[in-house]
mmCIF file of all heavy atoms in Angstrom:
data_model
loop_
_atom_site.group_PDB
_atom_site.id
_atom_site.type_symbol
_atom_site.label_atom_id
_atom_site.label_comp_id
_atom_site.label_asym_id
_atom_site.label_seq_id
_atom_site.Cartn_x
_atom_site.Cartn_y
_atom_site.Cartn_z
ATOM 1 N N GLN A 96 -2.891 -3.684 -12.890
ATOM 2 C CA GLN A 96 -2.253 -2.485 -12.489
ATOM 3 C C GLN A 96 -3.304 -1.640 -11.696
ATOM 4 O O GLN A 96 -4.383 -1.489 -12.159
ATOM 5 C CB GLN A 96 -1.771 -1.632 -13.728
ATOM 6 C CG GLN A 96 -1.074 -0.356 -13.376
ATOM 7 C CD GLN A 96 -0.620 0.368 -14.641
ATOM 8 O OE1 GLN A 96 -0.952 -0.097 -15.748
ATOM 9 N NE2 GLN A 96 0.170 1.377 -14.474
ATOM 10 N N ILE A 97 -2.952 -1.175 -10.509
ATOM 11 C CA ILE A 97 -3.842 -0.416 -9.704
ATOM 12 C C ILE A 97 -3.263 0.986 -9.654
ATOM 13 O O ILE A 97 -2.013 1.094 -9.407
ATOM 14 C CB ILE A 97 -4.104 -0.984 -8.258
ATOM 15 C CG1 ILE A 97 -5.073 -0.175 -7.493
ATOM 16 C CG2 ILE A 97 -2.823 -1.211 -7.592
ATOM 17 C CD1 ILE A 97 -5.553 -0.760 -6.206
ATOM 18 N N GLU A 98 -4.035 2.052 -9.889
ATOM 19 C CA GLU A 98 -3.629 3.375 -9.842
ATOM 20 C C GLU A 98 -4.675 4.340 -9.344
ATOM 21 O O GLU A 98 -5.882 3.935 -9.395
ATOM 22 C CB GLU A 98 -3.135 3.787 -11.232
ATOM 23 C CG GLU A 98 -4.129 3.729 -12.267
ATOM 24 C CD GLU A 98 -3.569 4.012 -13.627
ATOM 25 O OE1 GLU A 98 -2.780 4.975 -13.776
ATOM 26 O OE2 GLU A 98 -3.922 3.292 -14.606
ATOM 27 N N PHE A 99 -4.235 5.541 -8.918
ATOM 28 C CA PHE A 99 -5.174 6.529 -8.580
ATOM 29 C C PHE A 99 -5.766 7.136 -9.784
ATOM 30 O O PHE A 99 -5.097 7.381 -10.808
ATOM 31 C CB PHE A 99 -4.489 7.639 -7.704
ATOM 32 C CG PHE A 99 -4.174 7.137 -6.363
ATOM 33 C CD1 PHE A 99 -2.943 6.853 -6.003
ATOM 34 C CD2 PHE A 99 -5.201 7.059 -5.408
ATOM 35 C CE1 PHE A 99 -2.636 6.507 -4.714
ATOM 36 C CE2 PHE A 99 -4.920 6.658 -4.081
ATOM 37 C CZ PHE A 99 -3.613 6.366 -3.769
ATOM 38 N N ILE A 100 -7.057 7.452 -9.762
ATOM 39 C CA ILE A 100 -7.764 8.163 -10.854
ATOM 40 C C ILE A 100 -7.214 9.569 -10.903
ATOM 41 O O ILE A 100 -7.073 10.283 -9.909
ATOM 42 C CB ILE A 100 -9.326 8.148 -10.661
ATOM 43 C CG1 ILE A 100 -9.765 6.724 -10.710
ATOM 44 C CG2 ILE A 100 -10.023 9.025 -11.674
ATOM 45 C CD1 ILE A 100 -11.220 6.606 -10.424
ATOM 46 N N GLY A 101 -6.874 9.996 -12.099
ATOM 47 C CA GLY A 101 -6.324 11.335 -12.261
ATOM 48 C C GLY A 101 -4.818 11.428 -12.108
ATOM 49 O O GLY A 101 -4.270 12.407 -11.858
ATOM 50 N N ASN A 102 -4.145 10.238 -12.285
ATOM 51 C CA ASN A 102 -2.714 10.133 -12.104
ATOM 52 C C ASN A 102 -2.103 10.948 -13.296
ATOM 53 O O ASN A 102 -2.587 10.866 -14.406
ATOM 54 C CB ASN A 102 -2.276 8.695 -12.258
ATOM 55 C CG ASN A 102 -0.875 8.505 -11.828
ATOM 56 O OD1 ASN A 102 -0.182 9.403 -11.424
ATOM 57 N ND2 ASN A 102 -0.417 7.295 -11.876
ATOM 58 N N LYS A 103 -1.094 11.813 -13.017
ATOM 59 C CA LYS A 103 -0.442 12.650 -13.957
ATOM 60 C C LYS A 103 0.517 11.960 -14.922
ATOM 61 O O LYS A 103 0.868 12.558 -15.911
ATOM 62 C CB LYS A 103 0.223 13.800 -13.228
ATOM 63 C CG LYS A 103 -0.652 14.614 -12.345
ATOM 64 C CD LYS A 103 -1.635 15.453 -13.128
ATOM 65 C CE LYS A 103 -2.434 16.305 -12.240
ATOM 66 N NZ LYS A 103 -3.591 16.834 -12.840
ATOM 67 N N LYS A 104 1.055 10.698 -14.585
ATOM 68 C CA LYS A 104 1.987 10.147 -15.435
ATOM 69 C C LYS A 104 1.395 9.656 -16.757
ATOM 70 O O LYS A 104 0.206 9.348 -16.905
ATOM 71 C CB LYS A 104 2.591 8.939 -14.727
ATOM 72 C CG LYS A 104 3.409 9.334 -13.616
ATOM 73 C CD LYS A 104 4.235 8.178 -13.115
ATOM 74 C CE LYS A 104 5.183 8.558 -12.044
ATOM 75 N NZ LYS A 104 6.267 7.751 -11.941
ATOM 76 N N GLU A 105 2.231 9.632 -17.731
ATOM 77 C CA GLU A 105 1.808 9.127 -19.040
ATOM 78 C C GLU A 105 1.548 7.591 -18.911
ATOM 79 O O GLU A 105 2.406 6.844 -18.399
ATOM 80 C CB GLU A 105 2.835 9.343 -20.082
ATOM 81 C CG GLU A 105 3.040 10.839 -20.416
ATOM 82 C CD GLU A 105 2.050 11.390 -21.297
ATOM 83 O OE1 GLU A 105 1.474 10.630 -22.055
ATOM 84 O OE2 GLU A 105 1.824 12.590 -21.179
ATOM 85 N N ARG A 106 0.514 7.098 -19.495
ATOM 86 C CA ARG A 106 0.337 5.701 -19.545
ATOM 87 C C ARG A 106 1.440 4.910 -20.246
ATOM 88 O O ARG A 106 1.704 3.800 -19.864
ATOM 89 C CB ARG A 106 -1.066 5.346 -20.180
ATOM 90 C CG ARG A 106 -1.547 4.069 -19.884
ATOM 91 C CD ARG A 106 -3.075 4.052 -19.797
ATOM 92 N NE ARG A 106 -3.527 2.827 -19.458
ATOM 93 C CZ ARG A 106 -3.865 2.426 -18.192
ATOM 94 N NH1 ARG A 106 -3.846 3.323 -17.191
ATOM 95 N NH2 ARG A 106 -4.302 1.294 -17.912
ATOM 96 N N TYR A 107 1.900 5.505 -21.286
ATOM 97 C CA TYR A 107 3.055 4.826 -22.000
ATOM 98 C C TYR A 107 4.251 4.531 -21.080
ATOM 99 O O TYR A 107 4.852 3.475 -21.106
ATOM 100 C CB TYR A 107 3.468 5.740 -23.160
ATOM 101 C CG TYR A 107 4.584 5.184 -23.929
ATOM 102 C CD1 TYR A 107 4.434 4.076 -24.855
ATOM 103 C CD2 TYR A 107 5.907 5.678 -23.830
ATOM 104 C CE1 TYR A 107 5.515 3.592 -25.610
ATOM 105 C CE2 TYR A 107 6.964 5.146 -24.530
ATOM 106 C CZ TYR A 107 6.744 4.141 -25.436
ATOM 107 O OH TYR A 107 7.834 3.639 -26.153
ATOM 108 N N GLU A 108 4.632 5.546 -20.242
ATOM 109 C CA GLU A 108 5.710 5.383 -19.391
ATOM 110 C C GLU A 108 5.427 4.254 -18.263
ATOM 111 O O GLU A 108 6.366 3.544 -17.973
ATOM 112 C CB GLU A 108 5.969 6.674 -18.519
ATOM 113 C CG GLU A 108 6.593 7.799 -19.387
ATOM 114 C CD GLU A 108 6.634 9.102 -18.609
ATOM 115 O OE1 GLU A 108 6.189 9.140 -17.425
ATOM 116 O OE2 GLU A 108 7.216 9.975 -19.126
ATOM 117 N N GLN A 109 4.270 4.166 -17.804
ATOM 118 C CA GLN A 109 3.833 3.203 -16.852
ATOM 119 C C GLN A 109 4.000 1.731 -17.413
ATOM 120 O O GLN A 109 4.510 0.860 -16.745
ATOM 121 C CB GLN A 109 2.458 3.396 -16.354
ATOM 122 C CG GLN A 109 2.299 4.692 -15.586
ATOM 123 C CD GLN A 109 0.860 4.917 -15.221
ATOM 124 O OE1 GLN A 109 -0.036 4.067 -15.486
ATOM 125 N NE2 GLN A 109 0.549 6.033 -14.623
ATOM 126 N N GLU A 110 3.510 1.557 -18.597
ATOM 127 C CA GLU A 110 3.583 0.214 -19.200
ATOM 128 C C GLU A 110 5.031 -0.162 -19.533
ATOM 129 O O GLU A 110 5.323 -1.340 -19.413
ATOM 130 C CB GLU A 110 2.667 0.227 -20.411
ATOM 131 C CG GLU A 110 1.178 0.342 -20.141
ATOM 132 C CD GLU A 110 0.336 0.430 -21.292
ATOM 133 O OE1 GLU A 110 0.891 0.414 -22.470
ATOM 134 O OE2 GLU A 110 -0.880 0.516 -21.134
ATOM 135 N N ASN A 111 5.845 0.753 -19.904
ATOM 136 C CA ASN A 111 7.208 0.420 -20.258
ATOM 137 C C ASN A 111 8.053 0.103 -19.038
ATOM 138 O O ASN A 111 9.066 -0.680 -19.160
ATOM 139 C CB ASN A 111 7.899 1.419 -21.098
ATOM 140 C CG ASN A 111 7.372 1.383 -22.547
ATOM 141 O OD1 ASN A 111 6.918 0.370 -22.993
ATOM 142 N ND2 ASN A 111 7.586 2.429 -23.207
ATOM 143 N N LEU A 112 7.731 0.557 -17.871
ATOM 144 C CA LEU A 112 8.578 0.293 -16.721
ATOM 145 C C LEU A 112 8.465 -1.237 -16.226
ATOM 146 O O LEU A 112 9.341 -1.685 -15.635
ATOM 147 C CB LEU A 112 8.156 1.155 -15.536
ATOM 148 C CG LEU A 112 8.593 2.617 -15.726
ATOM 149 C CD1 LEU A 112 8.024 3.477 -14.550
ATOM 150 C CD2 LEU A 112 10.076 2.776 -15.729
ATOM 151 N N TRP A 113 7.288 -1.789 -16.518
ATOM 152 C CA TRP A 113 7.078 -3.111 -15.898
ATOM 153 C C TRP A 113 6.877 -4.196 -16.949
ATOM 154 O O TRP A 113 6.256 -5.164 -16.692
ATOM 155 C CB TRP A 113 5.836 -3.131 -14.975
ATOM 156 C CG TRP A 113 6.137 -2.294 -13.781
ATOM 157 C CD1 TRP A 113 5.724 -1.027 -13.546
ATOM 158 C CD2 TRP A 113 6.795 -2.755 -12.581
ATOM 159 N NE1 TRP A 113 6.177 -0.609 -12.327
ATOM 160 C CE2 TRP A 113 6.826 -1.605 -11.739
ATOM 161 C CE3 TRP A 113 7.392 -3.889 -12.265
ATOM 162 C CZ2 TRP A 113 7.372 -1.744 -10.529
ATOM 163 C CZ3 TRP A 113 7.981 -3.942 -11.043
ATOM 164 C CH2 TRP A 113 8.003 -2.841 -10.165
#
Side-chain angles (χ1 to χ4, degrees):
Q96 183 175 9
I97 182 170
E98 61 184 317
F99 286 105
I100 295 175
N102 193 0
K103 301 290 184 195
K104 290 191 174 203
E105 295 279 334
R106 194 146 185 98
Y107 177 77
E108 291 175 354
Q109 294 174 3
E110 290 174 358
N111 282 341
L112 288 175
W113 291 99

